[in-house]
Amino acid sequence: FNIAAYKLAKSEITEEEFRDETHRQLFLEILSFKESNESTDAGAFLSLLPESLKSHAAEILYKEFVGDAQETVKDIVSKIKKYNFNEKINRLAKEGKVDEINELIASARKENTNDRN
């Protein structure tokens, strides 16, 4: 585990933002492990996981990431947030809630402007 990347992920995303239950559970397991363990050893983490998550976690943890771990986390968080935003827009569109869509888009624009300043 890269500590800086872990801290970034913990501060930037919540469990509710994960749409896939396996990813959500894995995120919660990582948080739990890091709260009670100073180890950054992926093997130690894997040994404590429920069997149902081990193969999925190993695939992610041992994947060779190109570049900086923090940049990888930023990219993943951005993709999750964008996906959730688009899903919410689509749901509101199906419900015919145009005003809510416009408010959501305006709010997102405001956040993006604040992030740049």
Side-chain angles (χ1 to χ4, degrees):
F1 292 129
N2 178 295
I3 298 299
Y6 160 77
K7 287 179 180 179
L8 177 66
K10 184 178 177 184
S11 71
E12 291 292 323
I13 197 159
T14 64
E15 67 178 274
E16 292 83 15
E17 293 179 273
F18 288 91
R19 295 292 160 238
D20 179 87
E21 186 59 33
T22 301
H23 289 133
R24 179 181 299 126
Q25 281 303 116
L26 189 53
F27 179 72
L28 291 173
E29 291 288 344
I30 290 169
L31 294 181
S32 176
F33 177 78
K34 290 307 298 166
E35 286 174 11
S36 62
N37 194 326
E38 291 184 19
S39 174
T40 58
D41 180 48
F45 170 70
L46 287 173
S47 71
L48 299 173
L49 281 179
E51 287 299 320
S52 61
L53 292 176
K54 280 186 181 180
S55 65
H56 189 71
E59 180 182 322
I60 293 170
L61 291 172
Y62 292 113
K63 182 178 181 178
E64 187 159 337
F65 291 104
V66 177
D68 182 84
Q70 283 183 281
E71 288 303 315
T72 300
V73 168
K74 283 181 187 177
D75 184 50
I76 291 169
V77 167
S78 175
K79 286 178 182 176
I80 290 170
K81 289 185 179 288
K82 184 176 181 178
Y83 176 82
N84 289 340
F85 180 81
N86 289 335
E87 284 294 306
K88 191 169 189 176
I89 294 288
N90 288 335
R91 182 178 46 78
L92 290 171
K94 287 179 184 176
E95 296 170 5
K97 297 182 177 178
V98 176
D99 291 338
E100 288 90 340
I101 292 171
N102 289 333
E103 288 173 18
L104 190 61
I105 291 171
S107 176
R109 284 185 182 145
K110 184 177 179 183
E111 284 179 27
N112 286 336
T113 301
N114 290 339
D115 288 346
R116 285 186 226 140
N117 295 331

